């Protein structure tokens, strides 16, 4: 799933590729991708792109100085594929094609939104104000914003009875962090994913805040300037524990372990994060003694 660093890199790439150009066609291929109907998606056609913004994991393409916005959330299996030359003729709907929506510019280039797999969760909204998108309206603060200091972070965690893994992934608490980077942040902070957020001491909160900012900032810098097609590989290559079950921890050499959920999993290093003790299966909700 694209998270804050990849979406920020896509935003940066699209600023250079879209701003100043006219959108001549917006072609939905999978009708289910459209989550709004007023204004119609065709209202975006004939308009000049004047900005590209990020809200958490949402991409916001702004037209005519903010009069209209095409907003997308790539969900778990969605992606944006830039094409220097779009194929002639409209795309064919149906079949096994992952293509969900195509945006064409006056230059003949543009991008496709695609989604792999059978669970179709990629979403596109055409709105006059991005706050009309329910997911954006619910977002918590951006963790890379200047005002997201340790005091603000401590206030968010105060009284939070969930475990750190779940708290970091909650978009209404903090915007943009998903499964992969929550694992990476907790590994960098040397904290158990099962530790209660409200149990952190002031020094632990400061340390976690530093790990969060550093992990996301470094990931954004690694991705900056890359073409859209290279971002997935860059994300995977930069991860230390997430998706690396059975491999040695790059910090201490212990074996990276996994806890499985019904539809996802987390990875961690026992030596770095849990005092050498393996975590029980998440379904048991307890740490092995």
């Amino acid at each position: 799933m694209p998270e804050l660093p990849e979406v920020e890199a896509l935003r940066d790439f699209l600023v250079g590729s879209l701003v100043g150009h006219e959108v001549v066609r917006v072609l939905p291929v999978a009708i289910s991708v459209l989550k709004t109907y007023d204004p119609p998606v065709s209202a975006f056609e004939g308009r000049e792109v004047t900005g590209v913004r990020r809200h958490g994991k949402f991409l916001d393409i702004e037209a005519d100085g903010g009069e209209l916005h095409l907003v997308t959330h790539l969900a778990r299996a969605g992606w944006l594929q830039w094409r220097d030359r779009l194929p002639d003729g409209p795309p064919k709907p149906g079949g096994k094609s992952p293509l969900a929506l195509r945006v064409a510019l006056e230059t003949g280039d543009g991008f496709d939104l695609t989604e792999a797999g059978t669970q179709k969760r990629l979403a596109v909204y055409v709105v006059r104000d991005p706050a009309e998108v329910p997911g954006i309206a619910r977002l918590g603060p951006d963790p890379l914003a200047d005002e997201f200091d340790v005091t603000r972070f401590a206030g968010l965690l105060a009284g939070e009875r969930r475990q750190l893994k779940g708290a970091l992934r909650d978009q209404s608490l903090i915007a943009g962090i998903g499964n992969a980077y929550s694992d990476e942040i907790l590994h960098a902070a040397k904290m158990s994913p099962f530790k209660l957020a409200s149990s952190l001491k002031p020094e632990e909160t400061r340390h976690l805040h530093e790990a969060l900012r550093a992990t996301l900032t470094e990931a954004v810098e690694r991705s900056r300037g890359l073409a859209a097609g290279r971002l997935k590989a860059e994300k995977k290559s930069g991860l230390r524990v997430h998706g690396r079950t059975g491999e040695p921890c790059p910090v201490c050499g212990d074996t990276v372990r996994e806890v499985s959920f019904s539809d996802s999993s987390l990875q961690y290093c026992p030596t770095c994060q849990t005092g050498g003790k393996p975590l029980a299966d998440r379904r048991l909700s307890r740490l092995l003694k």
Side-chain angles (χ1 to χ4, degrees), residues 82-200:
W82 182 261
R83 292 177 173 265
D84 292 325
R85 183 69 190 180
L86 289 169
D88 295 329
K92 295 180 180 180
K96 296 183 179 180
S97 171
L99 181 59
L101 182 134
R102 174 167 291 165
V103 174
L105 304 180
E106 89 287 356
T107 54
D109 53 7
F111 65 86
D112 289 339
L113 294 180
T114 62
E115 186 171 25
T118 58
Q119 294 184 343
K120 302 302 182 183
R121 297 177 180 174
L122 189 151
V124 173
Y125 311 79
V126 178
V127 292
R128 297 178 181 87
D129 184 338
E132 296 174 32
V133 178
I136 292 179
R138 293 194 298 265
L139 286 177
D142 191 290
L144 292 186
D146 291 341
E147 60 270 21
F148 192 84
D149 57 14
V150 67
T151 302
R152 180 80 183 275
F153 185 53
L156 293 172
L157 296 184
E160 180 61 64
R161 297 296 299 171
R162 284 176 296 178
Q163 296 163 342
L164 285 174
K165 172 73 174 181
L168 290 176
R169 292 185 62 187
D170 183 351
Q171 300 303 294
S172 64
L173 191 71
I174 304 170
I177 302 172
N179 197 29
Y181 287 106
S182 57
D183 283 352
E184 297 298 298
I185 290 165
L186 290 168
H187 177 255
K190 299 185 180 298
M191 292 185 184
S192 169
F194 287 1
K195 187 177 182 69
L196 289 180
S198 60
S199 71
L200 294 183

Side-chain angles (χ1 to χ4, degrees), residues 216-274:
L216 296 179
T217 299
E218 290 167 7
V220 168
E221 289 304 315
R222 286 197 310 269
S223 300
R224 194 178 301 280
L226 293 181
R230 295 176 57 193
L231 289 173
K232 286 185 179 181
E234 172 55 39
K235 176 182 180 178
K236 185 175 181 180
S237 69
L239 298 175
R240 293 188 167 195
V241 291
H242 184 80
R244 300 195 180 279
T245 303
E247 298 181 22
C249 169
V251 174
C252 72
D254 194 2
T255 301
V256 174
R257 302 212 184 191
E258 176 178 309
V259 176
S260 296
F261 301 80
S262 59
D263 61 349
S264 65
S265 62
L266 66 81
Q267 285 79 42
Y268 70 100
C269 170
T271 294
C272 290
Q273 296 175 254
T274 61

